[in-house]
């Protein structure tokens, strides 16, 4: 049976969000460095490497953000489905009315039957 620990997935989602924010901050710092170096002469090779790393970080941010959204949607869908299953089970529960059970004494009838036969 498929099941997940939703609290753990939510914590992982928060960790991914922290990674995304940290990488975004580093990427913004790299953009400012690229602007500063761009004004200097003879930094073409350094600029090329920095721009390559900058685009790599942007791609990593995009992937991490998609993973975070995917985990978030998975938890929401799972919890919604689990809730619906529980509701269906509770609604389909059949309760039987209690019935009284008694004992019958057929000893006197046996005498009557004996006389008839």
């Amino acid at each position: 049976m498929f099941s997940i620990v939703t609290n753990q997935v939510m914590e992982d989602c928060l960790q991914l969000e922290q990674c995304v924010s940290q990488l975004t901050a580093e990427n913004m710092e790299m953009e400012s460095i690229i602007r500063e170096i761009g004004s200097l002469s003879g930094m073409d090779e350094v600029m090329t490497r920095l721009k390559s790393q900058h685009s790599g970080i942007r791609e990593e941010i995009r992937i991490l953000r998609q993973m975070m959204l995917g985990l978030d949607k998975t938890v929401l869908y799972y919890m919604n489905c689990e809730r619906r299953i529980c509701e269906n089970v509770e609604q389909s529960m059949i309760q039987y009315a209690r019935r009284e059970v008694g004992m019958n004494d057929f000893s006197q009838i046996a005498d009557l039957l004996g006389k008839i036969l």
Side-chain angles (χ1 to χ4, degrees), residues 58-71:
R58 271 191 306 198
E59 181 66 17
E60 192 73 26
I61 289 170
R62 187 185 65 78
I63 291 169
L64 286 175
R65 194 167 290 167
Q66 286 179 349
M67 288 172 57
M68 181 181 68
L69 292 173
L71 279 176

Side-chain angles (χ1 to χ4, degrees), residues 30-48 50-51:
M30 186 176 283
E31 285 175 359
S32 67
I33 289 171
I34 289 172
R35 281 193 301 272
E36 293 294 323
I37 289 178
S39 63
L40 301 174
S41 61
M43 293 290 184
D44 295 333
E45 184 181 331
V46 174
M47 284 289 291
T48 304
L50 282 176
K51 286 182 179 180

Side-chain angles (χ1 to χ4, degrees), residues 55-108:
S55 66
I57 290 174
R58 271 191 306 198
E59 181 66 17
E60 192 73 26
I61 289 170
R62 187 185 65 78
I63 291 169
L64 286 175
R65 194 167 290 167
Q66 286 179 349
M67 288 172 57
M68 181 181 68
L69 292 173
L71 279 176
D72 191 41
K73 289 284 188 186
T74 301
V75 169
L76 288 175
Y77 289 147
Y78 180 81
M79 291 173 69
N80 187 25
C81 183
E82 189 176 76
R83 181 186 49 78
R84 284 186 305 169
I85 289 171
C86 289
E87 287 175 357
N88 286 339
V89 167
E90 289 173 0
Q91 288 177 358
S92 65
M93 191 177 300
I94 300 172
Q95 294 185 357
Y96 294 98
R98 182 177 175 186
R99 296 187 180 182
E100 295 292 325
V101 177
M103 298 290 289
N104 293 324
D105 184 20
F106 295 109
S107 61
Q108 294 173 357

